[in-house]
Amino acid sequence: MSEVVAIIPARGGSQGIPRKNLRRVGGVPLVARAVDAAQRCAAIDRVVVTTDDGDIAAVAEEWGAEIVERPGRLADDQASSESALLHAIGELEARGVEVGVVAFLQPTSPFIDIDALTDAVQLVRSRRRDSVFSAIETYGFLWEKGAGGAAQAINHDMDVRPRRQDRDPHYLETGAFYVLRAAGFRAGGHRFFGSVGIAEVEPRTAIEIDTPEELDVARALAPLVDRSAPVRADAVVTDFDGVHTDDTVRVDQAGVEAVTVSRADGMGVSLLRAAGIPLLILSTESNPVVAARGRKLGVEVLQNAGDKATALREWASARGIPLSRIAYLGNDVNDLPCLEIVGWPVAVPDAHPLVLAAARVVLDRPGGDGAVRDLAERVLAARSAAPALTDPFTAPQEAS
């Protein structure tokens, strides 16, 4: 029986942004976001990533995609996406997979409209269309530079300026996805053939990342576009200052420091411990108050960690916990190396802007006022809701 197969080309090279397909938006690598979108589309039977890069393959596999090894000749700057798709279809058929419909998804579009993708697949499966692409409606006035650089109108008469309601719309490709009948695509070798349809998507999802500036824009949009996700973590690691505290300290005349902590956080820690979820407080500095708080909570403490990411990797490895299953809660720039390697980078709401941009989840409660309890409840709620399920939105381990 033929299948609807999502194929995601994700090569390792990139001119504009090095290692682009592994860059994170909303705390999740771009290739993983594409895999997740395909998995959440009920009309898709199989998700495949074709890549020449081992790190991308490892990330994609951890997110649940199958891998097709992409030859180097099909992964350089001159190779077309069509060539990668055709190669992947051939490899899948050699494995005994009958590809009936191809959903071509691009990782450079981080906000794939799942409903529109589902509708597009149905259009092709029902044979109402042979090829469907994602697009946004636009009423923009387009121009080009003519002789001597003079402006020339393209889709309008420059002598007439009609109102928006008096114009017919045009449609702009977003590049997020293309759905193709496999037989027609193989015959023509191009993504557009036969009867072509348009899948309209929300304008706020219509961003393609090719430059560092576009990556910054996507990261800023992520909190507005992404759905909230349950925090399916097997371990919780936190910073101390600004997380267990409000990031202030009182110093008496003898130089003794004191901080304020939340009893609610203490209860959250107790609940995590009761559920058997490992916890760690990881701090850059060495301070007796951190050790004292750790003893009070019954939580392991690692202090004086100049390289927090290395310390976290070693701690996780010693306990056999994948980095992808760790929630790390931080607030400042020294937390960024840890936030960038875990599956669940979490920030307090008053965190540094760079930390907020790196976070997959931003908590409701600030540091020192219930932030740890907030995270604990999210982790426990996710475990209670689906204790035996693998989270389809679990992020991958670190990839360089």
Side-chain angles (χ1 to χ4, degrees), residues 68-214:
V68 167
E69 187 174 344
R70 185 171 171 179
R73 61 184 173 78
L74 300 181
D76 60 23
D77 292 336
Q78 284 71 47
S80 67
S81 296
E82 278 85 353
S83 65
L85 293 174
L86 290 167
H87 173 265
I89 293 171
E91 289 294 306
L92 289 171
E93 292 188 343
R95 300 176 188 178
V97 178
E98 183 181 348
V99 183
V101 175
V102 174
F104 163 29
L105 276 61
Q106 301 208 91
T108 48
S109 294
F111 309 120
I112 294 176
D113 188 323
I114 307 302
D115 291 337
L117 174 60
T118 302
D119 291 343
V121 171
Q122 298 298 350
L123 278 173
V124 175
R125 289 190 69 178
S126 66
R127 298 186 177 274
R128 284 178 286 170
R129 293 289 182 267
D130 298 300
S131 169
V132 178
F133 65 94
S134 61
I136 56 170
E137 186 179 81
T138 178
Y139 291 84
F141 294 94
L142 300 181
W143 298 79
E144 65 182 356
K145 291 183 178 179
Q152 293 182 345
I154 295 178
N155 66 339
H156 60 98
D157 183 346
M158 65 180 178
D159 295 324
V160 179
R161 179 56 52 146
R163 299 174 302 170
R164 176 188 174 95
Q165 58 266 38
D166 296 328
R167 302 184 69 214
D168 292 327
H170 291 87
Y171 293 90
L172 176 68
E173 282 183 58
T174 69
F177 63 80
Y178 303 82
V179 180
L180 321 167
R181 190 179 312 286
F185 173 61
R186 295 186 76 170
H190 194 269
R191 70 189 73 178
F192 298 119
F193 57 92
S195 177
V196 179
I198 295 173
E200 292 187 51
V201 301
E202 290 291 330
R204 66 177 181 171
T205 69
I207 180 171
E208 271 195 290
I209 299 174
D210 288 313
T211 67
E213 292 76 17
E214 289 165 341

Side-chain angles (χ1 to χ4, degrees), residues 240 281 289-301:
F240 186 75
I281 295 175
V289 73
V290 181
R293 184 58 174 166
R295 286 193 299 270
K296 174 71 173 178
L297 297 175
V299 174
E300 185 178 359
V301 175

Side-chain angles (χ1 to χ4, degrees), residues 6 8 33-42 44 47 105 114 117:
I8 303 167
R33 295 181 69 96
V35 171
D36 173 70
Q39 289 179 328
R40 288 191 285 124
C41 177
I44 289 174
V47 182
L105 276 61
I114 307 302
L117 174 60

